[in-house]
Amino acid sequence: MMCRDNPEKSPWMCHVCDYTSDSTEPIACALCYKIACSSHIVHKTVLNEESGLYELQPICVDCSIKPYL
């Protein structure tokens, strides 16, 4: 039985390098929403169209090389 104070950990896999872990936290890309390890996430400023302000967002290296950033 899962306790609310101690949630069950699920393994995850980085979509860039196929690194897997169940002891570290994954990071989701703000553009493609895929999971990546901390080695393959960069933080970039992205314009929020609604507010007109720039926000610092986690972006995977695959999305960071696309020309629209």
Side-chain angles (χ1 to χ4, degrees), residues 15-47:
H15 79 278
V16 178
C17 68
D18 295 335
Y19 169 79
T20 60
S21 176
D22 61 355
S23 61
T24 60
E25 292 292 323
I27 303 169
C29 175
L31 298 178
C32 69
Y33 305 107
K34 294 180 181 176
I35 299 296
C37 64
S38 60
S39 298
H40 292 108
I41 289 285
V42 294
H43 288 85
K44 292 199 169 211
T45 53
V46 178
L47 179 63

